[in-house]
Amino acid sequence: MSPAHYVFLAVILFVIGAVGVLVRRNAILIFMSVELMLNACNLAFVAFARMHGNLDGQVVAFFVMVVAAAEVVVGLAILMAIYRARRSASVDDASLLKY
Amino acid sequence: MTTIAATGVFRVSWLLLAFPLFGAAVLLIGGRRTDKWGHLLAVLMSLASFVYGMIAFFTLLSQTGAGRSQDLHVYSWIPVDGFQANIGILIDPLSVSFVLLITGVGSLIHIYSVGYMAHDPEKRRFFAYLNLFIAAMLLLVLSDNFLSLYAGWEGVGLASYLLIGFWQFKPTAAVAAKKAFIANRVGDVGLSLAIMLMFAEFGTFNFTGVFDSTKAGGSGVATALGLLLLLAACGKSAQVPLQSWLLDAMEGPTPVSALIHAATMVTAGVYLIVRSNPIFNDAPTAQLAVTVVGAVTLLFGAIIGCAKDDLKKALAGSTMSQIGYMILAAGLGPAGYVFAIAHLLAHGFFKAGLFLGAGSVMHGVDDEVNMRRMGGLRKLLPITFATFGLGYLAIIGIPPFSGFFTKDGIIDAAWSKGGTDGWILAACTIIGAAITAFYMTRVMLMTWYGSKRFEEDGVLGGAGAHPAYTEPHIPHPHESPLTMTVPMILLAIGSVAAGGFLIINERLQNFLQPVIGAPFPDHGIWSWPGIIALVLVVLGVGVAWAMYGRMPVLAVAPRGSVLTRAARADLYGDAFNESVLMRPGQWLTRLSVFFDSRGVDGLVNGLAATIGGTSGRLRKVQNGFVRSYALSMLIGAVLLVAGLLVVRL
């Protein structure tokens, strides 16, 4: 299997994730889709690292994982706060911050 | 002329200013506490200045040569390197002549006012302003430089404003005060520009510095300075084209009309021109302009005086006319200066006397000023009649009264100028003398002779009318108290004697010679132009008698000829100002407002509205839905990547 296949897989995963973010209303599912997109990127990084024969992509993948973990902590905390306040996890309900 | 530092009694010449200034300060700051004795203090301060003025005068007479011009440095106002503004007092024959006129006539009018204003609740304020005026006028004539002269010049303008509007509860008086103030400002611009020009050209505004540099400065600068000073003189002395304020200024109390608007302040323009004689001697064009202004005004004022039924306004027209004579004489150069000053001093006596007489008449007939409602007063107010009559003889120039000598001198000087302009000027002065005789005789006949019209129709009251007198009623004319008649008698003596005293033996000429230059060759008392003028004066008296003495005076003014109606409307001076200056000014204002609100504001407001509207629409994009934000981010990212790809490939 050539590394190019991993890139194609990463693209497919990324698109699934992006569509999930756009069409889903539940914040938890949007979160999961975001994670999918991040991991698609990680996959692409690692694949490119393999293709170019250096470690840069692998290093970045580790960074992404760390940042994603931190993001999840903050994101879930916000989600909890919103759910407590509005009794709903739908992102369309939380649309007060607008014009 | 050389000037030396002040010696002897002149070392305290600042006292002249200090006395009236102190009086004004005490009365204005002291407030109601000084009501009981304030007017007496004011009279005392004015008299103190007069006494010091007399001492200064006689000390000056005992001096010779340079001792006749003594300069006292009083105060360094703005001592900056290269800009030395000082307040200095210059005592010389010219300034002392004015000091005696101002403090002498001023004191008499102070005393007169004690009687005239006895029942006015605001008497204290009146006397405070009078003292303020005396101080400012003395600063004007005593300054040794143009800058402090300007301070005095503005000071008398302020005092004039305050006193014209003294009865400010009357709208006419308040408006007249504003009008006088604004018309004066126009002239003051001329003076301030002249001072700036002096400083720019000569680096100084001391009289000695400026006059020494004038000769070196070239005739262009001298002409510009002369014309600017003439503009200043026109404003202060009510000369055409800035004449319109003087007639309205009669809204002020009568002593004010006598002191400020007849005897002293309005002659400041003549003083300015005579004081600046080295400038004018180097500027024939400016001199010509001065004579033209004088000639036009002397006829202008005289014609107005012929048609006015208001006693004070007839006299105000006469004042304009007489100052026109002085300005004309001052424009004739060294030949005329002495006669300008002589006529000024004599006029100070007889016109102040006439105005005080008018005040006494108004006192008698319950503040009525319309001469058509007077008549036959000579037996009821004998002292006033006698003093008024002597003033009348003096102003029309019957020998041997004052006006004969001084006016004759002016006519003669104009005649001696030679050439076409000399002819025209002499003709103007002679015709003016005839018209003067006509309108003054008219005033005499309407006021003192004929039937007692106030008994038939009653009077209404005019300037300063007591609220109780607004209904027609029959007054009971009576002679005024001693405080009023004594000043009138003293002024009448001056009216009789001053002219002859000053002119015969060339007393004034010899006295003023160091200031005004080379003496003028003597023509004797009698000259052909003077005799022609005298014949025309008699003719004028005759015409006036035929119109107002022989025939009864109508209680209501007839419609009159075109000229009469024009003269009643001040020869359309106000209409001219209104249509030529005021209306175009208003249009300009409206145009500016329109341009500002539609043009400038429209541009700025339109821009703001466009931006506001656009952002109003743009902000709808911020709809609060996280998913739509995510979509736009995605689209953006895709576009970026696509763009990068396009550029790369």
Side-chain angles (χ1 to χ4, degrees):
Chain A
M1 256 169 74
S2 78
H5 291 103
Y6 291 98
V7 176
F8 290 133
L9 178 63
V11 170
I12 291 163
L13 286 177
F14 188 88
V15 171
I16 293 170
V19 172
V21 168
L22 292 179
V23 301
R24 286 300 187 164
R25 285 197 187 81
N26 191 317
I28 305 259
L29 286 172
I30 289 176
F31 242 128
M32 290 166 69
S33 304
V34 168
E35 290 302 316
L36 199 59
M37 288 164 75
L38 287 169
N39 284 310
C41 293
N42 281 348
L43 188 59
F45 275 125
V46 175
F48 285 130
R50 179 87 186 173
M51 280 163 76
H52 295 298
N54 61 22
L55 288 176
D56 291 0
Q58 305 213 12
V59 173
V60 174
F62 276 112
F63 275 112
V64 171
M65 281 179 211
V66 175
V67 173
E71 177 245 317
V72 167
V73 172
V74 177
L76 282 176
I78 294 171
L79 194 69
M80 287 301 293
I82 291 175
Y83 185 78
R84 280 189 186 156
R86 313 191 66 87
R87 290 278 143 204
S88 153
S90 166
V91 287
D92 284 5
D93 286 346
S95 66
L96 283 179
L97 193 64
K98 59 182 178 185
Y99 58 84
Chain B
M1 183 180 94
T2 48
T3 301
I4 60 167
T7 55
V9 69
F10 299 117
R11 294 174 69 86
V12 288
S13 50
W14 52 268
L15 278 174
L16 270 173
L17 297 175
F19 284 128
L21 206 57
F22 172 76
V26 168
L27 263 61
L28 285 176
I29 299 169
R32 250 177 263 141
R33 280 184 290 280
T34 61
D35 270 352
K36 284 213 171 61
W37 45 268
H39 54 286
L40 299 176
L41 177 77
V43 172
L44 200 67
M45 288 298 119
S46 182
L47 279 172
S49 268
F50 178 61
V51 168
Y52 182 83
M54 287 303 269
I55 294 170
F57 172 66
F58 284 112
T59 317
L60 202 69
L61 278 182
S62 70
Q63 305 275 332
T64 50
R68 287 246 172 146
S69 174
Q70 306 215 359
D71 192 16
L72 175 72
H73 174 83
V74 179
Y75 176 61
S76 292
W77 185 9
I78 310 176
V80 185
D81 186 40
F83 184 90
Q84 297 292 331
N86 295 324
I87 294 188
I89 290 181
L90 176 68
I91 302 269
D92 71 355
L94 183 61
S95 62
V96 162
S97 307
F98 270 86
V99 166
L100 290 185
L101 174 76
I102 294 160
T103 55
V105 175
S107 298
L108 289 178
I109 290 174
H110 270 77
I111 295 166
Y112 176 92
S113 306
V114 173
Y116 190 83
M117 302 297 281
H119 304 297
D120 198 292
E122 294 276 352
K123 187 167 61 171
R124 173 187 56 81
R125 193 161 58 88
F126 180 80
F127 278 92
Y129 293 160
L130 273 192
N131 261 7
L132 181 69
F133 170 76
I134 298 275
M137 190 70 201
L138 286 174
L139 177 64
L140 197 166
V141 298
L142 284 168
S143 292
D144 68 350
N145 64 72
F146 279 98
L147 197 68
S148 55
L149 179 148
Y150 186 63
W153 188 269
E154 294 297 319
V156 292
L158 170 69
S160 161
Y161 165 78
L162 291 171
L163 285 164
I164 294 171
F166 181 71
W167 286 318
Q168 77 273 64
F169 51 83
K170 283 195 306 175
T172 46
V175 169
K178 276 190 279 186
K179 184 174 175 184
F181 199 76
I182 291 167
N184 267 295
R185 289 290 80 68
V186 178
D188 295 347
V189 169
L191 185 53
S192 62
L193 286 178
I195 294 171
M196 290 174 208
L197 184 61
M198 281 168 199
F199 190 74
E201 286 290 328
F202 311 138
T204 178
F205 28 67
N206 286 332
F207 287 157
T208 45
V210 170
F211 297 155
D212 287 346
S213 325
T214 311
K215 288 183 182 63
S219 64
V221 177
T223 305
L225 281 178
L227 291 175
L228 288 171
L229 293 175
L230 173 63
L231 177 64
C234 281
K236 198 57 88 193
S237 295
Q239 301 293 294
V240 175
L242 298 175
Q243 83 292 352
S244 63
W245 64 272
L246 185 62
L247 290 155
D248 290 357
M250 296 299 122
E251 288 288 342
T254 308
V256 172
S257 309
L259 177 60
I260 302 186
H261 305 118
T264 55
M265 185 192 83
V266 286
T267 58
V270 182
Y271 169 79
L272 186 70
I273 293 175
V274 174
R275 173 58 83 189
S276 315
N277 63 77
I279 295 175
F280 283 92
N281 290 347
D282 282 350
T285 318
Q287 280 188 323
L288 183 67
V290 172
T291 51
V292 168
V293 165
V296 168
T297 311
L298 86 85
L299 294 175
F300 199 95
I303 291 169
I304 291 175
C306 290
K308 290 287 179 189
D309 290 329
D310 181 324
L311 174 57
K312 285 179 72 183
K313 288 198 173 176
L315 290 177
S318 161
T319 302
M320 267 168 70
S321 169
Q322 298 302 314
I323 297 169
Y325 272 103
M326 299 168 207
I327 295 274
L328 189 151
L332 292 172
Y337 293 138
V338 65
F339 295 114
I341 299 299
H343 196 53
L344 193 159
L345 298 174
H347 177 258
F349 283 110
F350 62 67
K351 187 51 67 67
L354 287 170
F355 263 113
L356 295 191
S360 179
V361 169
M362 286 162 60
H363 216 59
V365 294
D366 297 346
D367 288 321
E368 176 61 64
V369 290
N370 187 351
M371 290 188 290
R372 291 188 184 276
R373 289 176 179 270
M374 296 177 186
L377 287 168
R378 67 184 185 282
K379 296 235 172 64
L380 297 165
L381 290 84
I383 300 174
T384 309
F385 170 67
T387 58
F388 198 93
L390 290 173
Y392 159 74
L393 292 173
I395 192 173
I396 66 171
I398 297 287
F401 296 96
S402 282
F404 168 71
F405 294 99
T406 56
K407 200 185 287 180
D408 206 40
I410 294 174
I411 295 171
D412 207 23
W415 179 266
S416 308
K417 189 171 189 274
T420 319
D421 47 347
W423 269 78
I424 295 171
L425 293 176
C428 286
T429 53
I430 291 171
I431 294 167
I435 304 178
T436 306
F438 172 80
Y439 67 70
M440 284 310 299
T441 310
R442 176 176 174 271
V443 167
M444 278 301 278
L445 291 172
M446 287 176 84
T447 312
W448 303 101
Y449 292 87
S451 60
K452 295 175 178 169
R453 292 182 294 278
F454 56 86
E455 286 183 353
E456 299 149 22
D457 310 318
V459 296
L460 269 175
H466 191 275
Y469 295 153
T470 47
E471 294 295 314
H473 63 283
I474 309 289
H476 303 285
H478 54 86
E479 188 55 274
S480 301
L482 271 181
T483 48
M484 289 167 70
T485 49
V486 170
M488 280 152 54
I489 292 166
L490 292 174
L491 286 171
I493 293 170
S495 317
V496 173
F501 176 78
L502 296 171
I503 298 292
I504 294 173
N505 291 336
E506 288 149 28
R507 284 195 186 90
L508 185 68
Q509 189 164 319
N510 293 333
F511 182 56
L512 291 179
Q513 196 267 336
V515 185
I516 60 172
F520 172 59
D522 184 27
H523 288 262
I525 302 300
W526 296 96
S527 63
W528 276 113
I531 292 168
I532 296 170
L534 203 55
V535 171
L536 283 174
V537 162
V538 173
L539 197 69
V541 172
V543 171
W545 181 78
M547 286 175 70
Y548 297 98
R550 206 155 51 89
M551 287 188 281
V553 177
L554 300 172
V556 177
R559 190 155 176 274
S561 67
V562 176
L563 188 63
T564 312
R565 272 176 278 144
R568 271 187 205 136
D570 305 348
L571 289 181
Y572 302 120
D574 288 336
F576 176 83
N577 285 347
E578 201 173 299
S579 55
V580 175
L581 301 171
M582 191 191 95
R583 300 230 178 276
Q586 282 180 332
W587 288 331
L588 195 66
T589 315
R590 275 191 221 128
L591 196 70
S592 307
V593 169
F594 180 80
F595 176 73
D596 186 50
S597 60
R598 295 294 167 83
V600 177
D601 284 6
L603 188 71
V604 175
N605 289 344
L607 199 65
T610 313
I611 292 174
T614 314
S615 32
R617 267 169 229 117
L618 266 180
R619 70 178 185 176
K620 298 284 181 200
V621 176
Q622 300 285 333
N623 53 11
F625 291 115
V626 175
R627 293 183 304 141
S628 73
Y629 298 158
L631 180 63
S632 48
M633 279 166 72
L634 185 72
I635 293 169
V638 168
L639 285 178
L640 267 179
V641 171
L644 277 174
L645 283 176
V646 168
V647 172
R648 279 273 179 86
L649 295 179

